[in-house]
Amino acid sequence: MAEPTERSGQRRLRPAPLVFEPAEATADPEHFFDLESIEDPKELLARATELTLAFRAATDRAVEFQAVAAAQLADPKRFDRLTAADVAERAAWTEDYARKMIEFGRDLIRAEGLPAED
């Protein structure tokens, strides 16, 4: 199962390790992290829950990276900075969502003491 970790005073879930599947296994649309082979419902529920938590944690972390990148690209100190519309187009977001992600990224950068630019 996912394990809690500390980061910036907030309790976060660390994803359970995901086992990468061989290419031949992923070619079968019914194959998903070997869940289809688990017969015991208790074990199936435990592993499926573990994967769900891991994917949620991975999604949250990826969104944070998106926000930081958006904020860096829109940084007014950059000579080649992008507008919120440009960021939205690159990320397939609406312009309003891009503005929110840029602000979220700026908050993350300030909280972590990360450089605003690459």
Side-chain angles (χ1 to χ4, degrees):
M1 298 273 299
E3 301 171 24
T5 62
E6 290 290 328
R7 186 176 143 211
S8 301
Q10 295 176 324
R11 209 174 156 143
R12 300 181 52 101
L13 290 179
R14 184 172 22 150
L18 298 177
V19 179
F20 290 95
E21 301 181 282
E24 61 273 3
T26 58
D28 178 5
E30 296 299 315
H31 187 81
F32 187 72
F33 289 90
D34 210 26
L35 292 178
E36 71 286 344
S37 69
I38 300 173
E39 302 211 5
D40 177 16
K42 290 177 187 173
E43 185 181 340
L44 178 59
L45 179 61
R47 181 62 179 145
T49 301
E50 185 177 68
L51 285 170
T52 299
L53 293 173
F55 286 130
R56 283 182 190 155
T59 299
D60 290 346
R61 191 70 180 126
V63 168
E64 290 175 354
F65 277 102
Q66 282 183 310
V68 167
Q72 289 173 333
L73 289 169
D75 186 341
K77 293 181 260 176
R78 288 177 64 114
F79 77 92
D80 61 344
R81 80 179 179 119
L82 299 180
T83 65
D86 294 331
V87 172
E89 184 178 336
R90 285 180 181 235
W93 296 333
T94 65
E95 190 172 341
D96 184 52
Y97 185 73
R99 279 192 290 275
K100 290 176 184 178
M101 287 293 280
I102 290 166
E103 189 55 40
F104 177 47
R106 288 178 179 153
D107 291 344
L108 290 171
I109 289 168
R110 279 191 292 272
E112 296 293 326
L114 297 173
E117 293 188 86
D118 297 343

